[in-house]
Each structure stands twice: as structure tokens, then as C-alpha cells.
Amino acid sequence: MEAALKTFFSSSRFAVVGASSDTAKFGHKVFVWYLQHNLPVTPINPRVPEVSVKSSNYVTVASPNNLSSPGDTSLSIITPPAATMKVLQEAKDAGVPAVWLQPGSYNDEVMAFARKEFDAAIGGTEGGTSGDEGWCVLVDGEDGLKLAGREWSKL
């Protein structure tokens, strides 16, 4: 999993599929994590035109196909497994190199597809995650940043 983490965080851009303005949702918490770590992040949500974090608004895109540089963007995905499979197919077609399937976003079929089709796919519980529910950027992300040699300062 170390190689996958390094590949994921070697991207120059990031996006959160399922980003939300609702502070109770993990799509919001994961999006905020990227902001707090000063990483360039785009919210992906086809249902709303923007996501709000505190007093700032961030324009959303509807799918990975709408990213400005999908080949340079790693995706964190927080959607139900059926929606995740559709997102993964779009991401593959767009040229996204790496994905992080947050807990609850995958089943065995989704995880197998992700591992087959992407340079790096993070998810599941094997390989040293610190979280009880599987690999999560909120729990394991800082270790991934270190593996990729990324300097960061939490806001």
C-alpha cells in the first residue's frame, strides 16, 4: 500500500467526489482535509454548483470528465458503491491515475475494478491502515503525504 499512497500523493491536483457543504457528511470532512493541508482540490458533485466551507465557496464540477487536468488529479471518492463504479469508469476514461476509495464507497467488485484499472487504488483494510473501517484520508493521509515527500503545513 505504500507504493499506492506515494503514487496517489505524487499527483499535482486532487478532487473529492461526493464533496458537500454539510459539515456532518464525510464528503465535507474529506474536502476540508485537503484544504487544511494546502493541497489543490476540486469538489466533484453533480447536484450542486458549489460547496461551502466556512465563509468560502468552491465551484464544483459534475464528474471526473470535467476536471481541468484529470491526468494530474488523484480522486478521493465518498459515494455509495453503485455510484462509485460509475465514477471509476468516468475517471478511467478521463485518464485519472489514482483513486482513494473511502470507507463505505466500495464493495469487492468496485475494489477489484479500481485495482485493475488505475496506477494506484487505495481502499479496504489490508496493508497497515490505522483506521478500523479501512483506509481513510482523514486517518492515513498524513502518512501518505510523508511517503510522497510532500511538504505541508496544516492551517
Side-chain angles (χ1 to χ4, degrees):
M1 198 58 72
E2 285 186 9
L5 285 166
K6 186 174 182 179
T7 298
F8 184 89
F9 282 114
S10 293
S11 289
S12 59
R13 299 169 184 257
F14 301 89
V16 176
V17 181
S20 170
S21 297
D22 184 342
T23 59
K25 292 192 172 193
F26 278 99
H28 180 83
K29 294 173 185 180
V30 169
F31 183 67
V32 168
W33 185 90
Y34 285 97
L35 294 173
Q36 288 175 331
H37 290 82
N38 295 315
L39 296 169
V41 62
T42 301
I44 299 178
N45 189 323
R47 294 188 178 118
V48 297
E50 61 188 20
V51 169
S52 299
V53 176
K54 297 185 181 181
S55 60
S56 297
N57 296 323
Y58 301 87
V59 175
T60 63
V61 297
S63 82
N65 293 318
N66 302 115
L67 291 166
S68 62
S69 298
D72 299 322
T73 305
S74 288
L75 300 182
S76 280
I77 302 173
I78 307 101
T79 55
T84 300
M85 183 60 89
K86 182 178 183 229
V87 168
L88 290 175
Q89 290 166 338
E90 292 171 356
K92 176 185 174 248
D93 292 343
V96 168
V99 295
W100 192 315
L101 305 177
Q102 300 296 320
S105 69
Y106 58 87
N107 55 27
D108 291 343
E109 177 187 9
V110 169
M111 187 60 67
F113 180 86
R115 290 195 171 134
K116 178 181 175 212
E117 299 296 339
F118 293 90
D119 295 341
I122 301 164
T125 57
E126 69 283 341
T129 175
S130 298
D132 294 336
E133 296 179 18
W135 287 91
C136 178
V137 75
L138 301 174
V139 176
D140 303 299
E142 290 180 11
D143 289 340
L145 288 172
K146 289 175 190 169
L147 283 169
R150 287 194 84 126
E151 295 292 324
W152 60 273
S153 59
K154 199 167 180 179
L155 295 177

